[in-house]
Amino acid sequence: MKIVSLVFLLLMFHLVNAQTVTLQGAIDRINTVKDYKADVQVKAAIPFIKIPITKAKVYFKAKNKFKVVSDNIVILPKQGMSDLNEFLVNPKRYTQVPGEYKMLNGLKTQLITLLPSDENSEIILAKVYLSAKEPLIYRTVLTTKSSGTVTIDYEYAQSKAFGLPSKMTFYIDVRKFKMPKSVAANIRSTEKQRKTEENQKGSIVIYFSNYQVNKGISDSFFKED
Amino acid sequence: MLWKNTQNELIKITSKIRSYIGIGALTVLILLVIFAMQADGKTYIGFVTSTFEQTLTFNGNILNGNLIAFIIMQMLIVHVPLLIVLVTGDLLSGELASGTIRMLATKPISRTGIVLSKWFAATIYTLIMTLWMGFLSLFVAHWIFGTGDLMVLNPDGLLILPSDDLLWRFGISMVLAFLALWTVATLSLAFSAFAKNSVGPIVITMAVIILFTIIGTLDVTVFDDLKFYLFTTHMATWRIVFEDPFPTEDILISAMVLLGHVVGLLLLAIYRFNRKDINA
């Protein structure tokens, strides 16, 4: 009996130590962030748009308030900034399906597929690659109704304790561009207008720095100017 | 004598009501565009960015003075020449129609001098119109909408230029716009040397601008080689100043073509006026 008890205890001890990182751990980290502001540098390589590297300040307040302040024109992806966190932190909105392990940039990650419960949800499917070592998301593949598929890669630095990335790389689908002639007529152009492919891939890299987390931001700040 | 005659020509221009029609119409047009953009500019921007709005968000002050100035220039580049022609198309033929050319010809100034003084006066009037357009479109728009990056609306996509990279571009585009308007002014002066009434040169110049612009916009291969030689093609060169990389060679070529037109048309006007039979 003593031997059986000992074996049981050893087994339990092993199980506790070998416990895999769960999505809930990542959610818990995200939930520690009530608000933040950060400096961002945005590098966009989008078909049909030529834009220099721009700087801005981003402000976030849980659950879904997000604002970008910049003297420049800043182009950000529509999906995957604050809406993804809002989706993740509410487990009632989806069903988790654990999947295979995959190496991402030399890091072991587990794929967790999230199936939305609401059939009218904007997010159709979310694939989350969670680190096997710590509760951090390293890749998200988001399929949405309006934006198609958006892949987001994350890198972490100082603010990883809050689950806040230092770099996010978005890979997005850009739809066929059609500029109204009345808006951009160019009588000088002697070239035939290039016929563009239906959809093209683009990327947006956002570098975050100088995070200020949970310092308090007023709700009124997020109201439209 | 040439300068004194130019001064006289400027006095004549300022004494005519039609000289103020151009400036007045330009002012009203620009103020209307500014008002429209202030009232509903975001819809206009949404019209442009709607292609991307399902995937991307555009943040920052897009509807700023630089964009308004760009839009105004784009809208007016076809129309301002017509306003200039109202004055410059009348310079020689108006004197013939009223008979004052005989008195002018008795002055101690050559016929070439008469044409040159009228051409200088037309140049100064064109310069004033260009500067006024620049002042209204750039400074007034900046005053109302503030500054910011410029979203250049091209048929094949959007180009965003930083605000600190724009003033010199607007400066060069104004120089090119002046060259374009100067060409039109000289063209109407040349037509004016052939005509005996005021209306003819004005209408013919307008017709030429409209015809050349239509040929330039037609996507038909048969006109492709011809387009380079049409001055209207080069009138829109101010727009490529806002391209990246900066197309120095194209701009220089277009400037040379426009200057060539100015010189050629001026020589034609001088040649024609020197051979003109001025009689009672």
Side-chain angles (χ1 to χ4, degrees):
Chain A
M1 187 61 192
K2 277 182 183 175
I3 292 168
V4 172
S5 301
L6 191 64
V7 168
F8 179 75
L9 279 172
L10 279 170
L11 192 63
M12 287 302 292
F13 181 75
H14 177 75
L15 278 172
V16 168
N17 277 324
Q19 174 184 326
T20 52
V21 176
T22 61
L23 184 63
Q24 189 55 47
I27 293 168
D28 290 343
R29 282 201 185 191
I30 292 168
N31 277 333
T32 59
V33 180
K34 302 297 173 209
D35 61 70
Y36 73 78
K37 75 171 179 178
D39 294 331
V40 294
Q41 197 179 46
V42 184
K43 195 178 164 185
I46 305 161
F48 320 116
I49 299 179
K50 199 170 180 183
I51 182 169
I53 295 169
T54 48
K55 290 180 176 176
K57 277 188 186 296
V58 291
Y59 298 82
F60 168 81
K61 187 170 184 179
K63 294 179 179 179
N64 60 359
K65 291 187 176 70
F66 187 77
K67 187 171 182 175
V68 183
V69 177
S70 177
D71 293 332
N72 301 110
I73 295 173
V74 183
I75 295 176
L76 292 175
K78 192 160 189 178
Q79 305 288 345
M81 291 299 289
S82 61
D83 56 329
L84 179 62
N85 282 1
E86 193 193 358
F87 177 74
L88 285 176
V89 297
N90 191 351
K92 286 179 186 171
R93 290 179 64 184
Y94 53 83
T95 305
Q96 290 183 43
V97 182
E100 61 186 0
Y101 284 88
K102 188 179 175 182
M103 296 301 286
L104 283 181
N105 302 321
L107 192 85
K108 191 181 177 187
T109 59
Q110 187 189 7
L111 166 66
I112 299 170
T113 306
L114 308 180
L115 304 166
S117 315
D118 183 1
E119 61 186 19
N120 295 319
S121 169
E122 169 62 18
I123 295 172
I124 299 167
L125 182 75
K127 289 182 175 181
V128 176
Y129 290 83
L130 199 66
S131 167
K133 278 187 180 174
E134 51 189 342
L136 289 172
I137 296 167
Y138 277 84
R139 176 175 288 170
T140 307
V141 182
L142 206 60
T143 307
T144 62
K145 276 183 185 168
S146 57
S147 305
T149 301
V150 182
T151 303
I152 311 159
D153 282 348
Y154 303 81
E155 286 179 25
Y156 296 91
Q158 290 94 337
S159 296
K160 65 159 49 173
F162 295 104
L164 294 171
S166 60
K167 181 183 172 188
M168 287 172 87
T169 308
F170 293 77
Y171 301 95
I172 52 172
D173 289 328
V174 179
R175 289 191 179 182
K176 183 183 172 185
F177 177 75
K178 202 174 177 183
M179 176 70 77
K181 261 205 165 183
S182 59
V183 172
N186 186 0
I187 63 167
R188 195 181 174 280
S189 175
T190 53
E191 289 174 23
K192 291 274 168 289
Q193 195 159 328
R194 186 165 51 97
K195 285 207 169 178
T196 53
E197 291 167 31
E198 281 301 310
N199 280 352
Q200 291 195 29
K201 286 275 178 195
S203 70
I204 298 174
V205 185
I206 307 172
Y207 298 91
F208 293 81
S209 59
N210 301 326
Y211 271 113
Q212 290 183 38
V213 184
N214 296 338
K215 301 283 183 191
I217 303 172
S218 157
D219 282 342
S220 59
F221 178 76
F222 293 92
K223 284 181 183 163
E224 284 285 322
D225 294 327
Chain B
M1 191 64 198
L2 184 66
W3 174 236
K4 283 212 164 192
N5 213 48
T6 305
Q7 281 179 307
N8 286 338
E9 291 303 327
L10 285 171
I11 291 167
K12 282 185 213 168
I13 287 175
T14 50
S15 63
K16 284 179 187 167
I17 292 172
R18 71 168 67 181
S19 306
Y20 301 97
I21 292 173
I23 291 174
L26 191 64
T27 309
V28 171
L29 277 168
I30 292 175
L31 293 179
L32 269 175
V33 174
I34 289 174
F35 169 75
M37 285 295 156
Q38 201 175 22
D40 204 20
K42 283 187 178 169
T43 309
Y44 183 88
I45 298 299
F47 195 49
V48 175
T49 58
S50 59
T51 310
F52 303 105
E53 272 177 358
Q54 287 181 327
T55 325
L56 305 167
T57 59
F58 291 78
N59 306 277
N61 183 19
I62 299 172
L63 191 69
N64 57 58
N66 290 321
L67 180 66
I68 303 297
F70 186 82
I71 290 168
I72 289 171
M73 284 188 73
Q74 184 163 275
M75 283 178 174
L76 294 185
I77 199 68
V78 182
H79 306 105
V80 174
L82 307 180
L83 300 174
I84 288 197
V85 168
L86 284 177
V87 172
T88 56
D90 180 53
L91 287 175
L92 281 169
S93 55
E95 302 267 14
L96 278 159
S98 63
T100 50
I101 194 74
R102 278 168 289 167
M103 194 187 76
L104 194 62
T106 59
K107 284 188 177 179
I109 183 169
S110 64
R111 287 197 181 190
T112 302
I114 291 171
V115 177
L116 282 176
S117 61
K118 287 184 179 292
W119 180 70
F120 283 136
T123 302
I124 291 167
Y125 180 75
T126 308
L127 186 64
I128 289 168
M129 284 284 277
T130 312
L131 290 174
W132 185 239
M133 184 172 75
F135 170 76
L136 282 178
S137 59
L138 200 58
F139 292 99
V140 176
H142 268 150
W143 175 56
I144 294 171
F145 291 91
T147 189
D149 295 351
L150 174 63
M151 186 188 276
V152 183
L153 320 170
N154 289 322
D156 57 351
L158 302 176
L159 167 67
I160 289 144
L161 293 168
S163 57
D164 55 7
D165 190 33
L166 290 174
L167 200 59
W168 69 274
R169 287 183 193 263
F170 273 111
I172 293 175
S173 69
M174 282 295 165
V175 171
L176 290 167
F178 169 71
L179 273 178
L181 298 176
W182 200 22
T183 305
V184 173
T186 313
L187 174 72
S188 64
L189 187 76
F191 283 140
S192 187
F194 284 86
K196 285 183 179 173
N197 62 74
S198 304
V199 182
I202 296 170
V203 174
I204 292 170
T205 309
M206 286 180 179
V208 167
I209 293 171
I210 293 166
L211 180 72
F212 283 10
T213 305
I214 289 170
I215 293 172
T217 48
L218 278 175
D219 276 339
V220 183
T221 49
V222 72
F223 292 136
D224 279 358
D225 294 333
L226 180 67
K227 284 177 185 173
F228 177 80
Y229 301 99
L230 305 178
F231 68 90
T232 46
T233 305
H234 302 279
M235 279 173 70
T237 302
W238 69 271
R239 208 178 188 287
I240 63 167
V241 169
F242 296 92
E243 283 182 6
D244 188 44
F246 187 74
T248 312
E249 199 180 327
D250 286 354
I251 287 168
L252 285 175
I253 288 170
S254 285
M256 295 305 288
V257 170
L258 290 172
L259 271 174
H261 272 83
V262 169
V263 173
L265 291 165
L266 177 64
L267 290 174
L268 178 68
I270 292 170
Y271 174 81
R272 173 64 192 152
F273 192 70
N274 272 299
R275 271 157 183 71
K276 203 168 184 75
D277 190 15
I278 300 172
N279 49 34

